[in-house]
């Protein structure tokens, strides 16, 4: 099955960490792999393939238009580039240098996160509003956002992350649209629940970026950008291969004959985020499968797996397992709290040993500093279960 890894001397791992990019994301469903393999055997006009995929994305998300990106981070950079340049070829040509164009992106302080580099990568500058601390849990007021909007504003950024006291998306969109400014949403990891595929667009967002390689179980280097047709138009111009002559350009009628552009832009900011036909085929297949999936069956499978892990280590001294997320629509997890003093090793030590052993096991490090391992079932295959529990037992058995 994994002969290629063996041949390269690379050991595969059991992924109990979730769809983390550094562990290769998810093992892909057979139908996704089949679609990618099939797509790889024939050449196509990529703009036509993107348009077809965009129609599927638009239908499933309820957005005007959709686009396949090389990941949610790429989608955010492309989306912000679209807000900066619009349909202006000279601006497209200039990015990420934003001289002469509005380049401020307003962000609530509680929404700043390590992935927001994707916004700045387009050339935009953040303008922060709101509080982090006192009073109470901090928070932003809608008037703070409104007061920050000026002629220099290019967009407002909103992230689907744990953040207390932020102004809800609906309200941000109302404020932004009063001033004719677009709202760009990072919804990378916002699935499940599946209805989030439509929720942010329904709330008024102008562009929403999802990962294709997280819960959708598409190719790891894929993502979905959905939203306003004009902004997606700017994205395609800045992302697709533009080694074109005006005379034969497939978008001649749409962009040149219509008078929208004086000429095609060439190899813009997003050229490095190219998406292959295989990723597009795989993403569309995965997205369709996700949209019609039995999500309660997924939930039941995850619950059973987590319970098996908790039961499987229940007799180990110094280790206490509990179920996380019973009241949440996101992926449930098991949290294994270690009595580090009694065990004689730390959660970080255990994580290192799990990754070094055979088979390798990756667990989530999200609570490692609190002395706990977190088991995320999303990428654990059914036939990994026995080996996963066996390795956890071997590593967590007290050495003292
Ligand atoms: C995972 C993640 C990203 C990056 O998504 P990719 O599809 O890997 O590019 C961006 N933002 C947040 C909040 C994420 O969790």
């Amino acid at each position: 099955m994994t002969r290629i890894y063996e041949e390269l001397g690379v050991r595969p791992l059991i992924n109990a960490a979730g769809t983390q990019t550094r562990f290769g994301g998810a093992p892909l469903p057979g139908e996704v792999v089949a679609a990618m393999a099939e797509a790889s055997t024939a050449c196509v006009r990529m703009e036509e393939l993107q348009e077809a995929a965009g129609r599927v994305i638009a239908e499933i998300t309820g957005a005007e238009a959709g686009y396949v990106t090389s990941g949610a981070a790429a989608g955010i950079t492309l989306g912000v580039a679209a807000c900066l340049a619009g349909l202006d070829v000279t601006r497209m040509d200039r990015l990420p240098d934003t001289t002469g164009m509005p380049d401020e992106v307003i962000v609530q302080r509680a929404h700043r996160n390590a992935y927001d580099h994707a916004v700045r990568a387009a050339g935009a500058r953040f303008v922060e509003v709101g509080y982090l601390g006192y009073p109470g849990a901090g928070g932003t007021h809608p008037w703070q956002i409104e007061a920050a909007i000026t002629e220099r504003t290019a967009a407002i950024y909103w992230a689907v992350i744990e953040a207390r006291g932020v102004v809800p998306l609906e309200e941000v969109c109302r404020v932004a649209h009063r001033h004719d400014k677009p709202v760009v949403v990072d919804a990378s990891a916002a699935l499940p629940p599946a209805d989030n595929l439509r929720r942010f667009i329904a709330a008024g967002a102008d562009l929403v970026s999802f990962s294709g390689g997280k819960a959708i179980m598409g190719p790891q280097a894929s993502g979905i950008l959905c939203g306003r047709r004009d902004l997606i138009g700017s994205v395609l111009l800045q992302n697709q291969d533009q080694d074109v002559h005006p005379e034969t350009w497939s978008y001649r009628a749409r962009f040149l004959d219509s008078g929208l552009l004086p000429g095609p832009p060439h190899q813009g900011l997003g050229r490095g985020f190219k998406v292959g036909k295989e990723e597009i085929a795989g993403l569309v297949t995965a997205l369709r499968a996700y949209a019609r999936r039995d999500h309660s069956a997924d939930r039941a499978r995850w619950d059973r797996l987590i319970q098996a892990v908790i039961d499987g280590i229940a007799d180990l001294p110094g280790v206490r397992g509990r179920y996380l997320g019973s009241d949440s629509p996101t992926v449930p997890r098991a949290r294994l709290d270690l009595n580090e003093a009694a065990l004689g090793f730390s959660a970080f030590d255990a994580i290192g040993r799990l990754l070094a052993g055979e088979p390798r096991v990756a667990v989530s490090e999200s609570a490692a500093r609190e002395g706990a391992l977190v088991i995320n079932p999303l990428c654990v295959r059914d036939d990994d279960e026995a080996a996963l529990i066996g390795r956890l037992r071997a590593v967590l058995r007290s050495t003292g």
Side-chain angles (χ1 to χ4, degrees), residues 23 48 108 255 287 296:
F23 297 129
E48 208 175 292
Q108 304 183 59
F255 289 118
L287 178 61
S296 60

Side-chain angles (χ1 to χ4, degrees), residues 19 21 70-76 113 115-116 157 159-161 186-189 210-214 220 222-223:
T19 50
T21 298
S70 55
I76 293 161
N113 67 87
Y115 291 105
D116 69 32
Y157 166 81
V160 189
I161 55 174
D186 176 356
S188 173
F210 292 97
S211 285
K214 290 183 180 167
Q220 170 57 199
S222 74

